[in-house]
Each structure stands twice: as C-alpha cells, then as structure tokens.
Amino acid sequence: MKSQLLASPGQRVGTSPGQPPVPARRNPTRGRFAAQHRRRMFRTDMLTVALWASLAAALALWLADGGMSSVGNLTQAVTAVGILAGLAGMDLVFLMLLLAARLPFVDGAVGHDRALEFHRKLGKPALYLLLAHGLLLATGYGMAEGLNPVSEAVALWTLVPDMWLAFVSMALFIAVVVTSLVAVRHRFPYEFWYFVHLLTYLAVAVALPHQFSVGGLFAEGTWQRWYWLLLYIGTGSALAWFRIARPVIATYRHQLTVRRVVPLVPGVFSIEMSGLRLNELSGNGGRFFVWRFLAPGMWWQAHPFSLSAEPQVGKSSRQPTLRITVRNLGAGSARLASLKPGTKVAIEGPYGVFSTAARSREHVVMIGAGIGITPLRALLESTPFAPGQATVLLRCSSTEELFLGDEILELCRKRGATLFHLTGPRSANTQSAWLPASAGTSRLRDFVPDITDADVYICGPSAWPA
C-alpha cells in the first residue's frame, strides 16, 4: 500500500494514516453549495408528497363518487375493496412509469439509481393490488349472481365488452414482474428482460378500455374520467418526450462518432468520441450517459457509462472530444473494444446526481475502486473546490488497476487535492474490510480526519462500498 502521495496545502508531505486529526470545521453547510442542497432536499420532499397525494387522490375518486354509500352488505363490500385495489394498483403503475421516465425533476432530486430502485420496489405492491382487484371483483360479482369466482371470471371474459383486454393486461403485468425478480432475471440475457419489460407499456394501454367502458366511476362526463385520462396522457407524454424525443434530438445535435479506442490494460480501454457542441455537456463529470454504438449487431445495446474526461472544447483542442473508459465485464462491453473510428453514437443523458449537483459542503472526498476510479477522474476535473479542500482515495488490488492513475495524480497536483493510493489484497481474515491488508487497523477517518465535514463520493463494484 502507498500512503499519501500529495499533501494538502499546509500539511506535511508523506504523512501516513494515524496522524493527529484535523479539528472539524464549524458550520459545514454554510457556503456556496448550501442553498443548492436545500433546494434539492425540498424537491425530494415534494416528490414524497406527490407520491402519497396521487395515491390518496386515486382513492378519493371513489369516495367523491359516493362509493361508501353503495356499501350495504358483504357482497358490496367485497366489490368495493376490489375497485379500490384496482385504483391504487394502477396509480402505482403510473408512478412506476414516471420514475422510469428519466424526468429531470426526479433525476435532479434523488438521482436515477434511487428512482429506479423505488420503481422496482413498487412492482410487487402494484401487481398484488391488481391481482386483488381482479379476484375481489370476480368474487363480489359472483356472490351477487350466485356464481363462483371462476365461473364469474369466464362470464366477464365472454360477455362483457373490453373485459378480455383486462385479462390480457393482467397476464402481461405478471410476466413483467416475474421476469424482474432477481432470481429469474439472472437466468436470462439482459436484452430478453429488457424487451419483456417493455410489455409494461402494452399492459397499461390494453387496461385502458375496460376502465372507461365498464367502470361506472369513469362514466362519460364525470371529472373522475378526466382526471384518469390526464394521468394517462401525462404519463405517456413524459415517456415519449424524455425516453424517445430528447435522446433523438441529443443524438442529432451532438453528432458523436468514435474517434479511437485506446487500450489501457488487458480488458480495459478508453473510447474517445468527437462531436458538435460538446461544450453543452461540460460540467457533467461523474454523471452517466446511455451510449448506443450504431455498428452492426451493437445498435440495440444500451451502455450506461460515466465520462472519464470532461469534453475538451478549448481553443487548444483541434477537434472537440469526450471520453469514457470501459472494463470488459461481459460480451456486450467486450465487443466495444473492436469499435472502428467513425462509428456513429446515439446518446441519452446525462443522468444521476454523482456530480456537483449533489454537493452540499465545501470539502469533498472521492473514493473509487477498480473501474470506479475512472468517473472520479472526470468529477475531479469539474467539481469546484479550493486547494486543500479535496481528498482522493483510489483502492485497487494492484498498481496495474490504478486506471488513469497518472492523469488523476496530475489533476490532484494541479488542483491541490490530497491523493492516496490504497493498493493490495484484503486481509484473509477480514474480507469484509475495504482497505488492503497492509493498512492494518486503519479507518477511513485516519485518511480523512474531517470526513464528517465533507461530501463523500464513492464509486466501485456494488458489493465493495456496502
């Protein structure tokens, strides 16, 4: 393990972990990032309020239509609960779609990863509610007509217009949720899961007719009908604009093409791309884009990679370029090493809050491991800090895995950041530790004494920072 490579101004060069801690600074949230942080937290609170408000509104539709007055016996109570389950379930589906729509407001507040995490968490509750909707309505209607639920379901399928579409919608929802389960998803290629997942949109579309032709709640001329229609139109418009139109516009606007592929070590390489108006993408170090390389057999594969270098658009740059760095982690990423110069590139993004947008304090700590080191290089290049206000810790098994290490060293030297290289295997007795065995009993605070007064960025394999 190497100790500190570059000292912060005012510190001794060559100090090692365990030195006396620097006294913590006071009033950490005062500064240029404090107002930005408060605005982001406010947007997060507003999203939470909007989520619960939408669910409450879905149920209020039924109450405002006199739903409670229709409940006078067990049969009607079962039917009423079935209707409420359907309203709540479809509302959760709308929320799931909006969380996956890459709305800038959502992305800027909680980040793309957290939005998708919550999207996934809503999947099972939404499915359970929709299943309860179908089961309870079949039971309630059957009790009223003296039929068992199965016979009632068959009657609904065959006799009620548009009801068969509701059954198709339910089958599609089940297929999407089941294939999204971790145990099932890992059995199939990502592309299979992705295309099955697209069936969600078809499931929502085919669920629409029976809601308006069968459900009395959404009868023509009622404001409940308009509210539900606006949900459909708003969600569909958001998806069409942010998932389709904006990526197409960005691809046309920036005209990205592969300039060259530069090998770093076996299995790791950088892809340099040139294009137009790349200055509009500056300042996004750390955030990720979705790249589609328009080569035969590759165009339909989406690759989410962060920049490893800010766009070079200055006067000294003869041709504006940007760069990503890729590690071969599968067949899809491995094929990228063979990209030819001139290959067209489609682009989506930037996404995520792994950037200056998430800063709340003046001091910043960047910790990267493996290929996760490379996004830190772009973040280090773009995020503002004064000399002595940044610490960079690079963790890897060997010096060969210090990807872009020389560039990071130069940036740290130029900007006055403190740099640690933490190389070597973990101790055999403490595999859960994040430090190399040579670090002994060192802790994170030994490297960054004032870490509680800093924003901390961590990027590495998913199990590593856990």
Side-chain angles (χ1 to χ4, degrees), residues 367-395:
I367 308 173
I371 197 64
I373 291 173
T374 59
L376 296 185
R377 192 267 182 215
L379 180 63
L380 178 65
E381 191 176 16
S382 61
T383 198
F385 60 83
Q389 290 185 327
T391 302
V392 180
L393 298 96
L394 307 182
R395 174 74 177 95

Side-chain angles (χ1 to χ4, degrees), residues 32-41 356-360:
R32 53 186 156 171
F33 300 113
Q36 168 185 286
H37 176 67
R38 286 194 295 272
R39 287 194 295 271
R40 195 164 76 85
M41 292 301 100
T356 304
R359 291 283 299 276
S360 63

Side-chain angles (χ1 to χ4, degrees), residues 89-343:
M90 278 306 295
D91 186 76
L92 293 186
V93 171
F94 285 131
L95 289 173
M96 290 176 64
L97 293 177
L98 289 173
L99 286 169
R102 297 170 183 166
L103 304 177
F105 184 85
V106 176
D107 189 70
V110 300
H112 186 66
D113 290 347
R114 286 186 63 191
L116 285 187
E117 181 183 354
F118 200 59
H119 163 92
R120 288 190 287 269
K121 287 182 177 178
L122 290 178
K124 285 185 180 178
L127 178 62
Y128 295 155
L129 285 167
L130 293 176
L131 287 172
H133 169 67
L135 181 61
L136 290 171
L137 285 188
T139 303
Y141 292 157
M143 291 169 67
E145 298 176 9
L147 298 174
N148 62 57
V150 175
S151 299
E152 180 61 30
V154 173
L156 289 171
W157 173 286
T158 56
L159 301 178
V160 180
D162 300 329
M163 190 57 75
W164 69 274
L165 289 172
F167 285 91
V168 172
S169 173
M170 181 63 67
L172 293 174
F173 276 126
I174 292 172
V176 171
V177 174
V178 169
T179 55
S180 298
L181 298 176
V182 175
V184 178
R185 181 176 169 179
H186 288 173
R187 295 177 181 271
F188 298 99
Y190 169 81
E191 290 75 18
F192 172 82
W193 168 84
Y194 179 77
F195 284 110
V196 171
H197 213 66
L198 292 180
L199 294 176
T200 303
Y201 305 117
L202 180 60
V204 173
V206 298
L208 178 64
H210 91 281
Q211 295 173 3
F212 293 104
S213 63
V214 180
L217 180 62
F218 300 127
E220 194 168 351
T222 62
W223 63 270
Q224 288 93 340
R225 182 186 183 94
W226 282 108
Y227 174 83
W228 210 245
L229 273 176
L230 285 175
L231 279 182
Y232 267 97
I233 295 171
T235 303
S237 299
L239 288 166
W241 176 251
F242 291 107
R243 295 297 301 270
I244 299 175
R246 282 188 47 157
V248 170
I249 293 171
T251 298
Y252 177 77
R253 184 168 182 77
H254 295 297
Q255 302 278 313
L256 287 170
T257 58
V258 174
R259 187 182 182 192
R260 62 174 181 165
V261 177
V262 182
L264 299 181
V265 298
V268 179
F269 49 91
S270 290
I271 302 173
E272 292 182 2
M273 290 167 271
S274 57
L276 305 176
R277 304 180 184 89
L278 299 190
N279 58 307
E280 297 173 3
L281 303 178
S282 298
N284 289 298
R287 305 184 75 188
F288 74 93
F289 295 79
V290 177
W291 313 89
R292 294 178 190 273
F293 297 93
L294 307 181
M298 297 186 188
W299 64 268
W300 49 273
Q301 293 179 332
H303 300 279
F305 294 128
S306 301
L307 295 176
S308 61
E310 280 279 295
Q312 303 299 310
V313 294
K315 293 181 180 178
S316 59
S317 179
R318 288 178 296 179
Q319 187 176 18
T321 60
L322 53 77
R323 185 185 69 186
I324 60 176
T325 299
V326 179
R327 184 170 201 165
N328 173 7
L329 295 175
S333 56
R335 293 187 64 189
L336 300 181
S338 63
L339 283 170
K340 304 296 183 187
T343 300

